[in-house]
Amino acid sequence: MSETSRPALTIRMHGDDNVAIVANDGGLAAGTLLPAGVPGAGITLRDKVPQGHKVALTDIARGAVVRRYNVPIGYALKDIPAGSWVHERLLQMPAARALEGLPIASFATVRPPELAPLQGYTFEGYRNADGSVGTRNILAITTTVQCVAGVVAQAVARIKSELLPSYPNVDDVIGLEHSYGCGVAIDAPDAVIPIRTLKNISLNPNFGGEVMVVSLGCEKLQPDRLLPPGSFPISDERDPALGPETVCLQADHHVGFMSMLDDILQSARPHLARLNARRRETIPASELVVGVQCGGSDAFSGVTANPAVGYCADLLVRAGATVMFSENTEVRDAVEQLTSRAATPEVAEAIIRELGWYDRYLDRGRVDRSANTTPGNKAGGLSNIAEKAMGSIIKSGTSAISHVLAPGEKLKATQRGLVYAATPASDFICGTLQLAAGMNLHVFTTGRGTPYGLAECPVIKVATRSDLARRWHDLMDVNAGKVADGEASIEDLGWELFRLMLDVASGRRKTWAEHWKLHNSLVLFNPAPVT
């Protein structure tokens, strides 16, 4: 059946919702009669309603609640007759829920039925000396300051062309380029965030414990400040008190550009040799550390892709793995769900602390959470951040939240299960901070489409709509649009994603982002002043 001949289809998330979204590719024309069997059956559309956008299922009076996911996503600014297109210009966004008087840690006292553990699931990974596990075997070159980025980029290109062919078990060589390191208030209280972020990314499990640093020499973020001696395991025979092995470009022995490049290549050789000696081994699925995120979201994000990711998140937690969800502004309107799902009162208080800090951070910039929603989000049917948050939180699944991380913090070995890693919602900053937390596999859902990828970690991309999956057939790894099409259930997609994760983690499958080498830059979150 062609898309144009498909019957009109609407999707309502809860029986008490007074709006539904249009599922048909291309939307529905004014005058369309909604057929029997769909929400709003018998209503004639008064307006053309684009795909993913909301249609009023009843007459909604001015000032009345517009409800989706059985929560208020806005208040009508004027009377909205049934069959009307309900868009952001017709809605007043609800105020943010206060961070006082929240339900605290219901999961700590009223436990939902526990699902049976998932046993016997494994992947082929790289066991590190500190007990962590990598899904890739990468040499990462840490940089202390943006000034060295051009030199490191040329050195990486030479390492790949001249050295890497001799080390076939090393997956890649990358430079950890960023915009930090100098021209910043390095002693400001919030400067701890970008510094610990870069330190902890340098120790990501996918880098095998090999720490190699390139410094300029005069920058504020000196190597010993970034990676203090004795603060991390050293994989070679050197004394840990010596600190990180560093190539300093301003060192007197460097005479000319080629000298700098040759020094970096010479330093890379022993790291490559040790990485090359490693082999994949069978690892329990409990060693996966999966970061989940959404970007380029649309109204289908909370209908197809994010619920499937949430189902998969529950499978991972049942298998003993760690799942991180994030994006402060995109969960802020669901704060009651977060604090009530906390495993303990202490976890609930940590959630409140992190979201409160972020409220104050936005307030300093004279904005609030409403600044999050993009033109693409709205074009995809999301009227405001309140609606977006309800679809975003679903990807965390239903498990108790066991731990909370502040921006840039690293997971401890004992911190497993479902973790809230407090980050901005920016795709690049969120991904960067999840890498710092120890992520070894990433899942990214999108409705509008984005070629997002990370050099440091495999990124599995999930399309919310079949139209996007068809058009971007060589960029999207999973089509969750099959749920809206009636071709698969949320459970089906959750298991498909779980099995794909094990294959990608094992190196048996490459993601499209890996195939095309589509890699976004690291973006450190720096709330401290720039001088």
Side-chain angles (χ1 to χ4, degrees), residues 337-419:
Q337 296 181 40
L338 300 186
T339 57
S340 63
R341 286 173 59 196
T344 66
E346 292 74 20
V347 170
E349 292 299 334
I351 292 168
I352 294 169
R353 181 185 67 243
E354 291 302 328
L355 293 181
W357 181 90
Y358 205 75
D359 281 355
R360 294 188 294 275
Y361 164 75
L362 292 177
D363 188 58
R364 290 199 302 270
R366 299 186 180 182
V367 298
D368 61 21
R369 73 203 197 287
S370 66
N372 168 281
T373 320
T374 68
N377 295 154
K378 294 177 181 179
L382 294 173
S383 294
N384 53 43
I385 188 59
E387 181 179 9
K388 186 179 181 182
M390 294 307 119
S392 176
I393 192 69
I394 296 174
K395 65 182 180 290
S396 66
T398 62
S399 302
I401 302 169
S402 58
H403 303 283
V404 176
L405 297 179
E409 287 185 340
K410 190 175 189 294
L411 281 163
K412 298 180 177 66
T414 56
Q415 292 178 319
R416 293 177 180 265
L418 182 64
V419 176

Side-chain angles (χ1 to χ4, degrees), residues 71-327:
V71 299
I73 62 167
Y75 300 91
L77 292 172
K78 66 177 186 179
D79 291 344
I80 305 174
S84 298
W85 175 21
V86 181
H87 49 75
E88 72 274 7
R89 296 181 298 281
L90 296 179
L91 300 181
Q92 178 182 338
M93 189 174 73
R97 170 70 158 86
L99 294 179
E100 294 82 33
L102 292 163
I104 299 295
S106 299
F107 272 35
T109 54
V110 182
R111 294 280 181 182
E114 289 194 14
L115 298 173
L118 285 182
Q119 298 176 337
Y121 289 93
T122 62
F123 67 100
E124 302 301 308
Y126 296 96
R127 178 75 69 177
N128 297 319
D130 65 357
S132 66
V133 173
T135 62
R136 295 295 182 267
N137 193 31
I138 298 170
L139 174 60
I141 301 175
T142 298
T143 62
T144 57
V145 67
Q146 170 62 208
C147 307
V148 305
V151 176
V152 170
Q154 296 222 23
V156 166
R158 278 190 57 186
I159 292 170
K160 288 183 177 183
S161 64
E162 299 174 25
L163 302 185
L164 200 55
S166 299
Y167 303 97
N169 295 318
V170 180
D171 292 319
D172 203 358
V173 179
I174 62 174
L176 300 181
E177 178 194 346
H178 56 90
S179 59
Y180 195 69
C182 211
V184 294
I186 199 75
D187 294 315
D190 289 339
V192 66
I193 293 175
I195 294 172
R196 72 186 176 203
T197 300
L198 184 57
K199 172 187 174 180
N200 288 332
I201 289 175
S202 303
L203 305 177
N204 185 276
N206 287 347
F207 305 152
E210 297 295 327
V211 179
M212 179 177 167
V213 180
V214 175
S215 162
L216 181 61
C218 61
E219 64 271 24
K220 289 184 177 180
L221 184 56
Q222 290 289 302
D224 284 356
R225 180 162 189 164
L226 174 63
L227 293 155
S231 69
F232 63 99
I234 292 178
S235 61
D236 57 26
E237 311 305 323
R238 294 178 306 116
D239 183 347
L242 295 175
E245 179 186 0
T246 302
V247 174
C248 178
L249 300 190
Q250 290 177 348
D252 290 344
H253 65 270
H254 285 144
V255 180
F257 179 47
M258 289 301 116
S259 171
M260 299 175 188
L261 293 185
D262 290 343
D263 199 357
I264 295 172
L265 265 67
Q266 188 62 29
S267 294
R269 289 179 185 273
H271 295 286
L272 290 168
R274 286 190 292 270
L275 289 172
N276 193 61
R278 288 153 52 88
R279 296 294 185 273
R280 290 187 182 271
E281 59 183 276
T282 301
I283 304 283
S286 58
E287 297 298 340
L288 287 175
V289 181
V290 179
V292 300
Q293 188 187 354
C294 48
S297 301
D298 67 356
F300 285 94
S301 295
V303 178
T304 61
N306 288 349
V309 171
Y311 189 92
C312 183
D314 286 346
L315 295 177
L316 289 163
V317 171
R318 288 171 59 191
T322 302
V323 178
M324 289 184 290
F325 71 108
S326 301
E327 302 167 287

Side-chain angles (χ1 to χ4, degrees), residues 483-521:
V483 172
D485 298 340
E487 298 173 4
S489 67
I490 294 296
E491 180 179 350
D492 293 335
L493 260 294
W495 276 106
E496 177 184 336
L497 187 56
F498 180 76
R499 294 186 179 99
L500 176 61
M501 285 183 187
L502 297 178
D503 283 342
V504 170
S506 301
R508 293 188 291 265
R509 292 273 300 274
K510 280 191 174 183
T511 67
W512 280 115
E514 288 183 290
H515 174 81
W516 297 120
K517 299 188 183 302
L518 296 174
H519 302 147
N520 288 94
S521 297

